[in-house]
Amino acid sequence: MSSAFPQIHLVRHGETAWSLSGQHTGRTDMPLTPAGEAAARGVAERLEGLSFSAVWSSPSQRAYNTSVLAGFGATSVKGDDLQEWDYGAYEGRTTKEILAERPGWTVFRDGCPQGEVAADVGTRADRIIERLRKANADILIFSSAHFLRVLAARWLGLPPEGGALFVLDTASISVLGYEHDFGEPVVRKWNGK
């Protein structure tokens, strides 16, 4: 999957107790489970041989520790814009629980009371994309599912709500890049295990 253009590798953090149970984990700083730690170590093998001009991470311990266990702790720089969606009143709750109170709810369309809506997350993603395009280099990013989904949507020029079209498993690797020129941003790989 070589390219003449920069490639942005996105890594979703390893498993946590709440990712396993389906609870929304925005700003709660959950540690990785032992299985999540093992999967994070496996990311190192899957990225072997690649080099990056920069490594960026969400400040959450689940994302940052994934970067450390994957072998990038010495170069990983934390950035607040890479934080997961702020779920506000829905923090720690499952989609099933929320739907019982609010039928038809989706985070991408409806957002979260006392938390963020898709446009808020999109604004943060746009700032990251601006930095990526200015850097014009291969960069590795460790973060969480909903943020990375919005980042991919905005990379393609979709509205932030377009993140609903992408799904990410824990410890997955995705790649954003370009096709023929810098005017053609694409998803080169998605949700790789």
Side-chain angles (χ1 to χ4, degrees):
M1 188 180 60
S2 65
S3 172
F5 299 102
Q7 296 187 81
I8 312 306
H9 284 68
L10 310 176
V11 178
R12 182 182 176 199
H13 63 76
E15 175 190 274
T16 68
W18 281 11
S19 67
L20 186 60
S21 65
Q23 291 170 266
H24 286 84
T25 317
R27 304 302 163 87
T28 302
D29 206 12
M30 300 291 294
L32 299 172
T33 64
E37 291 175 353
R41 286 185 201 94
V43 168
E45 296 170 20
R46 293 165 35 223
L47 294 175
E48 191 172 348
L50 298 176
S51 62
F52 302 97
S53 295
V55 180
W56 300 343
S57 175
S58 162
S60 72
Q61 68 173 310
R62 62 191 180 273
Y64 184 74
N65 288 346
T66 297
S67 78
V68 170
L69 292 168
F72 295 94
T75 56
S76 189
V77 176
K78 297 177 185 178
D80 287 343
D81 278 342
L82 294 168
Q83 291 183 90
E84 178 60 302
W85 197 305
D86 181 348
Y87 298 116
Y90 292 160
E91 182 77 8
R93 302 190 65 203
T94 66
T95 298
K96 183 178 179 180
E97 291 170 340
I98 298 165
L99 288 172
E101 294 174 7
R102 197 170 165 191
W105 172 84
T106 70
V107 70
F108 288 97
R109 184 189 62 227
D110 304 315
C112 302
Q114 300 156 22
E116 290 183 305
V117 296
D120 299 326
V121 182
T123 296
R124 292 192 285 114
D126 287 347
R127 288 194 296 258
I128 294 296
I129 291 168
E130 182 179 340
R131 290 180 59 203
L132 290 169
R133 294 206 166 121
K134 191 176 288 186
N136 193 27
D138 292 344
I139 295 179
L140 176 60
I141 296 176
F142 291 85
S143 190
S144 298
H146 281 142
F147 177 79
L148 292 173
R149 291 167 68 179
V150 171
L151 181 67
R154 296 301 300 139
W155 181 264
L156 298 173
L158 299 172
E161 295 82 1
L165 303 172
F166 302 94
V167 174
L168 281 176
D169 296 323
T170 55
S172 62
I173 300 174
S174 301
V175 183
L176 304 177
Y178 302 91
E179 188 160 14
H180 300 106
D181 59 44
F182 289 108
E184 293 183 51
V186 296
V187 173
R188 298 189 59 83
K189 177 181 178 181
W190 193 257
N191 202 33
K193 286 302 225 166

